[in-house]
Amino acid sequence: MAICERHYIALMAASRHSCHFLMDLHLQEFKRTGGKDEWLKGLSYASVKVQNLDMLNAVLAHQPWSINVDHLTTLTKCCSPTNWCLSELVQASVILAHTHVLCSFVLGNDIVYTNGQHTSSCEIIDDQNDSKCEIELLLECMDKLKKAKLSIDVKKPNEEEMEQSFLKVHNNCDSITAKTFETEETSLPENKSENNCMKKSSIQNCYAPSSLYTFNSRFGYVNFAQRAHDGFARTHKIHEFSWEDQGYSCVDELYNEMADILDKKITLIQNLTYSTMGTYNDVDTSKYRNAIWMYIQSLYGIRHDDYNYAEVNVMLDRKLKTFIKTACCHPHEMTDSLRQSVMINFKSCEKVHVLLIVMEARLQAELIYFFRALVKLNNNSSTIA
C-alpha cells in the first residue's frame, strides 16, 4: 500500500471522532507523500477501493463487537482492482484502529487545533497542596481488596452471576449525549454494486467538517450493556478469542513486522507503573490500573472471567468512569470541565498514564474483534474449498 494511501486511511479514521489535530497531520502528510489533491475534496473522490473501507472504519471505531464476516467478505471478494487482499486489509485495519485510539489520547489530553497551531488549551498544574482524600481513599480500597482476596475463599459464581456482574460495571456513570453523531444499527449498506463492492451511503451529514471523509457520519457508539440486555449484542468472553492466543498469530502471519511491535506496546502499557499516586511512593497500583483496563474493555463487550468486576466500581468513581467512557467512546465530546474534574490529586503525568491505558485497552478490543472476524472468514473459505 502506498504511503500516501496509508495517511488517507488515517485521515478517514481521525474523522470518525472529528480529531482535527490528527486530521490536519495526516492531510499534510498525504500531500507531502504524493497524494492526489482531488482526494482531499472528500471520500467520494478517492479510489473505490479506499471508499469501500468506510463502513469497516465506522464499525471498528464505534461498535467493534458488530464486525462480522460479511463486512470483510464485502472488501475481499470485490473484483480487482477494488478488492483488498488479506495482508492489505490487516495493514489498513491496524492503521484505522491505531488512529481511533490516538483520537482518544489527543482529545483526552486536550491537544487542540487552532488557526494552524497545535496547542494545549489549558495547563495542568501539579498541586501538591490539595487534600489527599481521593488518593487516601483509593489506597484504603486497594488494601481492603487485597486483604479480602487473601482471607476469603470466594465461591466461583455461575455464568448468569458473572454476566450480571459484568454488565453492572456500566452503571454509576453519567450519561453522555453525543452531539455530533446519531447512533444507528450496524449493517452493511443495501446499495451495492454488481461486483459486490460497497457504494457510498445516501446518508450525508453537514454537521461537522470531518463528514467530508465518511459516508456514515451519523453512525456512532451505542451502550453495549443496553444492547446486550435487549438481546442485540453478545458478550465476548476473552478465552474464546484473545490477542495473546489468536490475534497475535494472525498479525504475525499476514503483517509479520507489526506483530511484535503491537504485542510489546500493549504489554508495556499493561505493566507500566512508577509505583506512585500523587505524593505517595512505593504504591502497588496494579488493582487501579487493572480496573481501568477491564472497565474500558467492558465498554466494548469483552469479559474476562477470571476478573472480579465488582472491583471496578470500588476503584473507579462516577466522574472517572464518565471521563474514561467519554475518552473511549465519545472523545469528540470531551470538555475542559470533565478533564479537570477527575484525578485532582494526581500528577499530570499520571493522568497521561491513564490515557495511555485507554489507548491500548481500546486498541486491543478493536483488534480482537477484527481478527475474530478474519479467522472466521478464513475458516469459511477453507470449508468451501
Side-chain angles (χ1 to χ4, degrees):
M1 197 189 316
I3 294 177
C4 61
E5 288 183 343
R6 299 178 205 175
H7 284 294
Y8 195 84
I9 291 168
L11 175 59
M12 291 168 60
S15 76
R16 293 310 315 174
H17 294 306
S18 299
C19 184
H20 298 289
F21 176 90
L22 291 177
M23 289 176 68
D24 179 67
L25 172 67
H26 290 292
L27 184 150
Q28 297 301 328
E29 287 300 303
F30 173 77
K31 292 194 290 187
R32 187 185 68 81
T33 54
K36 297 178 181 178
D37 288 341
E38 187 179 29
W39 285 28
L40 298 178
K41 294 179 181 178
L43 185 56
S44 58
Y45 291 87
S47 67
V48 175
K49 182 175 180 177
V50 171
Q51 289 182 43
N52 288 344
L53 284 175
D54 184 52
M55 179 54 74
L56 178 64
N57 181 26
V59 178
L60 197 62
H62 304 297
Q63 300 175 36
W65 60 84
S66 299
I67 295 175
N68 56 47
V69 172
D70 290 340
H71 290 111
L72 305 189
T73 300
T74 303
L75 293 166
T76 58
K77 303 303 181 183
C78 290
C79 296
S80 182
T82 58
N83 66 303
W84 289 82
C85 68
L86 291 183
S87 59
E88 286 180 323
L89 186 57
V90 168
Q91 186 179 39
S93 298
V94 169
I95 293 171
L96 290 172
H98 254 290
T99 310
H100 296 154
V101 303
L102 277 170
C103 291
S104 292
F105 183 80
V106 168
L107 296 170
N109 270 311
D110 195 26
I111 299 173
V112 298
Y113 175 77
T114 308
N115 297 325
Q117 299 296 319
H118 299 140
T119 62
S120 176
S121 66
C122 65
E123 183 180 358
I124 300 174
I125 301 173
D126 295 333
D127 190 346
Q128 306 297 343
N129 298 318
D130 284 348
S131 167
K132 297 185 179 67
C133 180
E134 177 188 12
I135 294 176
E136 288 176 349
L137 184 61
L138 272 174
L139 293 173
E140 290 174 7
C141 288
M142 288 191 291
D143 189 52
K144 287 178 181 178
L145 286 173
K146 289 176 185 176
K147 289 179 179 177
K149 192 170 184 178
L150 290 172
S151 61
I152 301 175
D153 184 17
V154 181
K155 181 182 177 182
K156 186 176 180 180
N158 58 37
E159 172 61 27
E160 183 179 352
E161 291 170 335
M162 285 193 290
E163 183 69 2
Q164 288 177 352
S165 175
F166 172 73
L167 295 178
K168 279 182 181 178
V169 169
H170 295 256
N171 298 335
N172 195 33
C173 175
D174 293 335
S175 61
I176 303 165
T177 303
K179 300 173 185 176
T180 306
F181 298 105
E182 295 177 17
T183 57
E184 296 179 344
E185 299 296 330
T186 61
S187 60
L188 287 170
E190 294 181 1
N191 51 329
K192 298 178 185 177
S193 59
E194 293 180 359
N195 63 0
N196 199 36
C197 289
M198 287 187 286
K199 287 184 178 179
K200 66 179 181 180
S201 166
S202 59
I203 297 174
Q204 293 291 334
N205 187 355
C206 58
Y207 303 147
S210 52
S211 64
L212 201 62
Y213 301 106
T214 178
F215 302 134
N216 298 283
S217 53
R218 293 166 63 90
F219 186 92
Y221 177 82
V222 292
N223 190 297
F224 177 84
Q226 186 60 51
R227 301 296 290 160
H229 181 268
D230 295 340
F232 294 110
R234 177 181 173 272
T235 298
H236 174 73
K237 300 174 188 176
I238 198 66
H239 66 266
E240 295 174 352
F241 190 100
S242 68
W243 165 255
E244 295 83 1
D245 294 334
Q246 291 94 359
Y248 175 88
S249 59
C250 286
V251 183
D252 189 48
E253 181 179 348
L254 295 167
Y255 192 6
N256 179 260
E257 62 269 29
M258 186 55 64
D260 279 337
I261 294 173
L262 289 172
D263 191 60
K264 288 177 181 177
K265 189 162 70 75
I266 291 171
T267 302
L268 173 66
I269 298 303
Q270 279 183 313
N271 297 323
L272 180 65
T273 180
Y274 298 106
S275 301
T276 64
M277 274 191 168
T279 58
Y280 289 85
N281 298 316
D282 300 320
V283 179
D284 179 2
T285 62
S286 57
K287 288 279 186 186
Y288 186 65
R289 290 182 287 113
N290 209 27
I292 294 171
W293 187 281
M294 294 300 179
Y295 176 59
I296 293 162
Q297 297 214 326
S298 77
L299 294 172
Y300 296 101
I302 296 176
R303 190 180 95 192
H304 298 249
D305 285 349
D306 59 349
Y307 181 72
N308 179 8
Y309 281 91
E311 293 187 9
V312 171
N313 285 334
V314 173
M315 299 306 304
L316 310 181
D317 62 28
R318 187 184 192 92
K319 286 183 179 178
L320 184 56
K321 288 175 73 175
T322 302
F323 172 78
I324 291 171
K325 184 174 182 178
T326 304
C328 276
C329 309
H330 309 275
H332 51 285
E333 298 295 336
M334 185 63 73
T335 63
D336 285 343
S337 60
L338 182 53
R339 291 186 195 94
Q340 294 163 6
S341 69
V342 297
M343 300 182 70
I344 296 171
N345 308 131
F346 286 77
K347 299 174 184 176
S348 57
C349 63
E350 291 169 334
K351 286 189 176 182
V352 173
H353 187 180
V354 167
L355 285 164
L356 287 173
I357 296 174
V358 168
M359 272 184 61
E360 296 306 317
R362 180 184 174 185
L363 175 67
Q364 190 184 70
E366 290 193 26
L367 293 179
I368 283 172
Y369 284 120
F370 171 77
F371 286 111
R372 182 183 69 172
L374 189 65
V375 167
K376 289 180 180 178
L377 176 68
N378 277 337
N379 291 342
N380 290 352
S381 299
S382 299
T383 302
I384 293 172

